[in-house]
């Protein structure tokens, strides 16, 4: 455990690095939302995915886009992060990702795991997938109710095992969204995952966005947040590969304790995303508002948009919040994660001051 002075020094360096990124952004993570169709209807889904109509780009359009990214920005140091909806619902999924791999792109995926069997696991490896995160959101009954999918837990666990059996992937991760209802299941879930040959368990809190806003009873209370941080920190102190997600400034007690480094919202600085219809945005978790759409790959050259736009994410937006402007932590927090701002008021919907620190 690092002392407070060392953490403050690191956080000051992180703040300087963030300021440098506003002048010279460095694209590292490029998210591709291949579809908003999904075979599950999760209560927390930020994009309200499910059995819905999805305007989707064609393989040819993805091919032209990826060719342009490689020609203009190169592939070194960049990761394609494939998501949805459920990406595997695309019939041309392996065609798209095989082409991306042939260009030299590294890629990983988030999935609900229910469509993965031995054959799909092999095809994923052959298509060059390096990393995958599969969602398990509680014990069986809790998971299936939360994702409104009977048998979803069983299928997802079988999918994870198929990936493990196939082998050859750099990292297999399980992600769990913690709610007020399932926080009591963390110890039992740990016992299950500890017996599996996964590489890490990512534990994140439910966010006040998307469908979750309809179910306030699922949101974490203050004592839940403290309980969650203590659970993760204790597991990490015991050498277990458990980590918190990238979202939110946690204060000097928990920063660097529950994840490998310090909070930095990379939206528009290191992270860009292409929505299912081709819109160019920063982070897929950010509320889909017209002012945050920077262009569309069907009419705009992505590299030009990346280098010349994204101004909402490269300015000191936290100064519009009186709460943030007067806070002594703003040099480290910078208004917290962009996706958890109330963009009508400019105020953060998630702030751990007074909760964790």
């Amino acid at each position: 455990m690092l002392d407070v002075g060392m953490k403050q020094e690191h956080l000051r360096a992180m703040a300087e690095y963030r300021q440098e990124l506003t002048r010279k952004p460095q694209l590292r993570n490029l998210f591709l939302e291949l579809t908003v169709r999904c075979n599950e209807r999760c209560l927390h889904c930020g994009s309200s995915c499910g059995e819905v109509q999805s305007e989707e780009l064609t393989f040819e359009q993805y091919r032209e886009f990826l060719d342009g990214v490689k020609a203009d920005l190169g592939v070194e140091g960049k990761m394609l992060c494939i998501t949805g909806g459920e990406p595997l619902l695309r019939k041309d999924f392996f065609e798209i990702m095989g082409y991306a791999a042939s260009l030299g792109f590294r890629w990983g995926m988030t999935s609900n795991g229910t469509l993965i069997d031995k054959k799909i696991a092999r095809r994923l490896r052959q298509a060059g997938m390096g990393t995958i995160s599969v969602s398990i959101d509680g014990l069986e009954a809790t998971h299936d109710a939360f994702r409104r999918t009977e048998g979803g837990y069983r299928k997802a666990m079988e999918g994870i095992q198929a990936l493990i059996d196939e082998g050859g992937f750099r990292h297999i991760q399980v992600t769990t969204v913690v709610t007020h209802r399932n926080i009591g299941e963390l110890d039992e879930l740990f016992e299950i995952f500890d017996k599996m040959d996964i590489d890490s368990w990512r534990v994140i809190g439910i966010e006040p966005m998307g469908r979750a806003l309809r179910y306030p009873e699922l949101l974490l209370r203050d004592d839940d947040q403290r309980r969650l941080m203590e659970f993760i920190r204790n597991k990490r102190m015991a050498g277990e590969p458990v980590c918190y997600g990238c979202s939110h400034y946690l204060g000097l007690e928990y920063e660097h304790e529950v994840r490998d480094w310090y909070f930095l919202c990379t939206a528009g600085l290191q992270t860009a995303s292409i929505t299912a219809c081709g819109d160019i945005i920063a982070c897929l978790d950010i509320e889909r508002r017209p002012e945050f759409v920077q262009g569309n790959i069907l009419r705009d050259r992505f590299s030009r948009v990346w280098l010349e736009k994204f101004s909402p994410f490269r300015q000191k937006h936290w100064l519009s919040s009186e709460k943030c402007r007067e806070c002594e932590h703003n040099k480290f927090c910078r208004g917290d994660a962009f996706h958890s701002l109330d963009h009508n008021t400019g105020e953060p919907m998630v702030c751990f001051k007074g909760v964790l620190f």
Side-chain angles (χ1 to χ4, degrees):
M1 183 173 179
L2 296 177
D3 62 49
V4 170
M6 183 64 72
K7 289 184 179 181
Q8 289 176 322
E9 183 178 335
H10 289 165
L11 284 164
R12 282 191 289 269
M14 182 68 79
E16 292 174 5
Y17 176 58
R18 187 195 186 284
Q19 187 60 33
E20 179 64 19
L21 286 175
T22 63
R23 295 188 292 268
K24 296 180 180 179
Q26 300 174 1
L27 182 65
R28 291 189 177 181
N29 300 305
L30 180 54
F31 283 78
L32 303 183
E33 180 188 62
L34 296 189
T35 181
V36 294
R37 291 179 290 124
C38 191
N39 56 336
E40 296 189 326
R41 297 174 295 116
C42 307
L43 297 180
H44 70 301
C45 184
S47 302
S48 299
C49 299
E51 296 176 0
V52 296
Q53 291 282 332
S54 179
E55 185 180 354
E56 297 171 4
L57 303 174
T58 66
F59 165 68
E60 290 75 19
Q61 288 166 335
Y62 277 117
R63 181 173 60 187
E64 182 178 352
F65 165 70
L66 292 169
D67 286 344
V69 173
K70 179 177 181 177
D72 297 346
L73 301 174
V75 300
E76 185 175 355
K78 296 174 182 61
M79 180 79 171
L80 296 182
C81 307
I82 309 306
T83 185
E86 172 49 52
L88 288 170
L89 287 174
R90 292 260 328 207
K91 293 181 179 179
D92 56 359
F93 174 88
F94 289 102
E95 190 175 13
I96 295 169
M97 299 321 304
Y99 186 74
S102 74
L103 293 178
F105 283 103
R106 295 182 303 122
W107 70 275
M109 178 172 68
T110 58
S111 171
N112 62 38
T114 62
L115 302 179
I116 300 174
D117 56 18
K118 292 182 181 297
K119 180 180 178 181
I120 294 298
R122 176 151 300 180
R123 294 187 70 186
L124 288 168
R125 180 181 59 78
Q126 292 171 340
M129 186 182 77
T131 65
I132 186 168
S133 183
V134 178
S135 298
I136 299 291
D137 294 321
L139 300 174
E140 185 167 6
T142 303
H143 174 97
D144 288 359
F146 186 64
R147 293 187 157 258
R148 295 192 285 185
T149 306
E150 185 177 355
Y153 176 91
R154 175 182 55 80
K155 292 177 182 177
M157 292 293 280
E158 289 173 353
I160 295 168
Q161 192 58 52
L163 293 163
I164 293 170
D165 292 343
E166 177 62 29
F169 304 105
R170 291 197 307 277
H171 201 98
I172 298 173
Q173 180 182 78
V174 170
T175 293
T176 297
V177 173
V178 179
T179 72
H180 182 63
R181 288 182 178 173
N182 72 5
I183 193 168
E185 299 178 356
L186 289 176
D187 287 317
E188 290 178 84
L189 287 170
F190 174 79
E191 294 300 321
I192 292 170
F193 300 143
D194 191 43
K195 295 180 175 66
M196 302 174 69
D197 192 20
I198 61 172
D199 296 294
S200 66
W201 182 26
R202 179 170 172 260
V203 187
I204 59 178
I206 188 170
E207 297 282 348
M209 52 186 266
R211 286 198 189 111
L213 293 173
R214 307 178 197 170
Y215 305 98
E217 69 276 10
L218 294 177
L219 299 180
L220 294 174
R221 316 305 197 252
D222 289 353
D223 58 336
D224 293 333
Q225 300 285 8
R226 292 188 288 268
R227 180 180 177 183
L228 176 59
M229 296 304 155
E230 283 299 302
F231 174 84
I232 299 172
R233 179 162 66 177
N234 289 338
K235 293 301 181 188
R236 290 173 65 86
M237 290 176 65
E240 302 295 346
V242 182
C243 64
Y244 186 63
C246 61
S247 297
H248 309 310
Y249 173 68
L250 307 176
L252 293 173
E253 182 175 354
Y254 290 107
E255 283 291 337
H256 199 270
E257 304 295 323
V258 297
R259 54 191 170 208
D260 292 341
W261 199 237
Y262 298 90
F263 169 69
L264 173 65
C265 181
T266 64
L269 303 177
Q270 294 177 328
T271 298
S273 304
I274 309 302
T275 70
C277 69
D279 282 345
I280 303 169
I281 61 175
C283 171
L284 289 167
D285 285 340
I286 296 172
E287 184 182 355
R288 307 288 174 92
R289 297 166 68 104
E291 62 265 34
F292 298 147
V293 177
Q294 305 300 295
N296 187 287
I297 66 170
L298 299 182
R299 62 175 184 271
D300 301 302
R301 191 76 173 181
F302 172 77
S303 59
R304 178 171 294 180
V305 173
W306 173 253
L307 295 172
E308 298 178 1
K309 294 193 176 183
F310 286 92
S311 59
F313 312 97
R314 298 171 185 172
Q315 297 174 349
K316 297 180 179 180
H317 59 83
W318 60 90
L319 295 180
S320 64
S321 163
E322 182 177 356
K323 177 181 180 180
C324 296
R325 188 169 58 247
E326 302 300 325
C327 179
E328 69 273 22
H329 291 268
N330 66 19
K331 58 184 176 295
F332 304 145
C333 176
R334 298 298 197 257
D336 207 75
F338 206 90
H339 75 264
S340 58
L341 290 178
D342 181 334
H343 295 291
N344 292 317
T345 66
E347 299 295 331
M349 293 187 290
V350 177
C351 177
F352 288 134
K353 185 177 180 181
V355 179
L356 301 180
F357 62 95

